[in-house]
Amino acid sequence: MATRQRESSITSCSSASSCDADDEGVRGTCEDASLCKRFAVSIGYWHDPYIQHFVRLSKERKAPEINRGYFARVHGVSQLIKAFLRKTECHCQIINLGAGMDTTFWRLKDEDLLPSKYFEVDFPMIVTRKLHSIKCKPPLSSPILELHSEDTLQMDGHILDSKRYAVIGADLRDLSELEEKLKKCNMNTQLPTLLIAECVLVYMTPEQSANLLKWAANSFEAAMFINYEQVNMGDRFGQIMIENLRRRQCDLAGVETCKSLESQKERLLSNGWETASAVDMMELYNRLPRAEVSRIESLEFLDEMELLEQLMRHYCLCWATKGGNELGLKEITY
């Protein structure tokens, strides 16, 4: 039951949780990414005062090339998000697909860059965990309540909906369920919409990811899609990555689309998007402001630069646009 008191107005209701055993390995990647981000933040790669409320600091030290890779990922995605927000003057919505323990909503609020509404979608089990942290930790719940116009805010195990922020438990492979839940949380198909997927599409079959991309392109009049995931997976290093994940019961079902930057762009263009761009993460790293590179490289010693380059050449940042000519969405680049 929701209460009338503002300070305790995030309330929890029990609900059944259904889990598909085949997805357990994929859900585990959420924990891995959160631990890596938490460690990188702890030694100063970037500022994020919210990640600590979602994940504990691991005792295991992460390798320098992993930390630099996460820095480039967070920086690249953030730059594209902010470019979209500037073009739309924040009169837009963001849908983060497979958001995990992502903290972008809180960080954008701190910078006064929130869109009209920010949505997150992930497996119900992950959403349940995230909502528990939000409910229990005022640094997470207070910013949501501050923006909420009502005195009460209802939350159950798989969904939170407020005026500016919503978290939804749904399977991205079930598009009718996804759309229904987003619309219940007041998704507006008339608003310019940014969709984000970080290491998400690769865990879906090519048909499933194509359907999701088509749905996204067809649902909004003006839209942009950001995709961060593996690339150049046909070489020996790529095969080792695949084998390592398989040993952890995590299959890259969509790896055939990750052959090259061209195959990544072609998937977007063949599924309803009008423009598509892609860079591998080494190229992105080389484009970082020199002052930032000097700062992060001074944080810890990297024995072999070749290790970093090998890793970064196997991840990419892609972005696509559809409509929004009057907003200049096609001009967005990294």
Side-chain angles (χ1 to χ4, degrees):
M1 293 276 299
T3 149
R4 294 181 184 279
Q5 303 235 338
R6 183 80 170 198
E7 56 271 24
S8 59
S9 56
I10 289 191
T11 62
S12 180
C13 309
S14 62
S15 67
S17 172
S18 60
C19 306
D20 183 349
D22 292 341
D23 295 327
E24 192 174 339
V26 178
R27 288 195 294 267
T29 64
C30 167
E31 182 72 9
D32 293 343
S34 300
L35 287 168
C36 289
K37 286 181 178 179
R38 175 78 170 92
F39 182 81
V41 167
S42 76
I43 58 175
Y45 275 87
W46 69 93
H47 179 66
D48 183 350
Y50 301 102
I51 188 74
Q52 63 184 313
H53 300 299
F54 288 118
V55 61
R56 291 177 182 161
L57 185 58
S58 172
K59 292 177 183 177
E60 178 192 348
R61 189 174 183 87
K62 305 300 178 185
E65 62 270 18
I66 299 293
N67 297 327
R68 291 188 194 180
Y70 270 95
F71 173 83
R73 168 181 173 174
V74 169
H75 182 90
V77 172
S78 177
Q79 290 298 105
L80 290 176
I81 290 172
K82 288 177 182 178
F84 182 85
L85 290 167
R86 284 193 296 270
K87 290 289 189 185
T88 60
E89 298 180 344
C90 295
H91 184 62
C92 62
Q93 61 193 357
I94 295 177
I95 305 174
N96 193 329
L97 303 167
M101 301 298 126
D102 189 77
T103 60
T104 302
F105 165 79
W106 290 271
R107 290 183 287 120
L108 288 177
K109 183 182 182 299
D110 284 349
E111 296 182 60
D112 199 24
L113 281 174
L114 274 184
S116 299
K117 189 152 184 175
Y118 192 101
F119 300 83
E120 293 182 349
V121 184
D122 214 319
F123 283 117
M125 180 181 284
I126 290 173
V127 165
T128 298
R129 180 185 154 197
K130 187 164 196 174
L131 295 187
H132 177 75
S133 295
I134 292 171
K135 176 177 176 283
C136 296
K137 299 181 179 177
L140 300 175
S141 59
S142 295
I144 299 168
L145 290 166
E146 182 187 319
L147 296 164
H148 193 58
S149 56
E150 305 297 325
D151 285 338
T152 58
L153 182 65
Q154 190 72 35
M155 178 172 82
D156 68 21
H158 294 163
I159 194 162
L160 177 151
D161 186 28
S162 71
K163 186 177 180 183
R164 305 288 293 278
Y165 177 63
V167 191
I168 296 162
D171 190 326
L172 298 175
R173 296 163 296 194
D174 185 342
L175 294 175
S176 58
E177 178 202 29
L178 175 65
E179 183 168 343
E180 179 188 353
K181 289 184 174 181
L182 283 166
K183 285 183 174 176
K184 278 185 179 175
C185 292
N186 298 308
M187 176 183 74
N188 183 352
T189 57
Q190 303 304 306
L191 271 182
T193 301
L194 171 62
L195 301 105
I196 306 165
E198 296 184 55
C199 290
V200 171
L201 302 184
V202 71
Y203 296 112
M204 307 167 77
T205 66
E207 183 183 8
Q208 289 164 345
S209 66
N211 288 338
L212 179 62
L213 288 167
K214 280 178 195 165
W215 170 82
N218 294 334
S219 294
F220 309 100
E221 291 184 10
M224 178 173 171
F225 198 103
I226 298 173
N227 180 37
Y228 169 88
E229 67 181 0
Q230 291 88 340
V231 74
N232 298 324
M233 294 297 280
D235 65 12
R236 181 61 192 143
F237 188 85
Q239 291 306 305
I240 292 169
M241 287 171 68
I242 293 167
E243 288 161 16
N244 287 342
L245 282 163
R246 277 187 184 146
R247 275 197 289 273
R248 296 165 53 198
Q249 284 73 54
C250 190
D251 190 36
L252 298 182
V255 73
E256 69 181 67
T257 315
C258 303
K259 288 176 183 172
S260 66
L261 295 176
E262 285 307 312
S263 66
Q264 288 280 7
K265 290 189 285 186
E266 177 55 33
R267 171 171 57 178
L268 291 159
L269 293 171
S270 63
N271 287 298
W273 296 87
E274 296 166 0
T275 71
S277 304
V279 293
D280 72 48
M281 296 309 288
M282 196 64 220
E283 183 180 348
L284 188 148
Y285 189 83
N286 289 333
R287 292 187 198 175
L288 290 171
R290 289 299 94 193
E292 271 296 84
V293 172
S294 297
R295 183 186 69 80
I296 66 166
E297 291 186 350
S298 70
L299 293 174
E300 52 185 347
F301 179 67
L302 176 61
D303 223 3
E304 296 180 48
M305 193 64 183
E306 293 81 4
L307 276 176
L308 177 69
E309 181 152 358
Q310 199 170 38
L311 184 66
M312 300 280 238
R313 293 289 182 202
H314 288 84
Y315 284 91
C316 66
L317 186 63
C318 316
W319 60 100
T321 65
K322 179 241 175 179
N325 293 340
E326 71 287 355
L327 298 170
L329 296 187
K330 290 180 181 178
E331 300 162 13
I332 293 175
T333 188
Y334 178 80

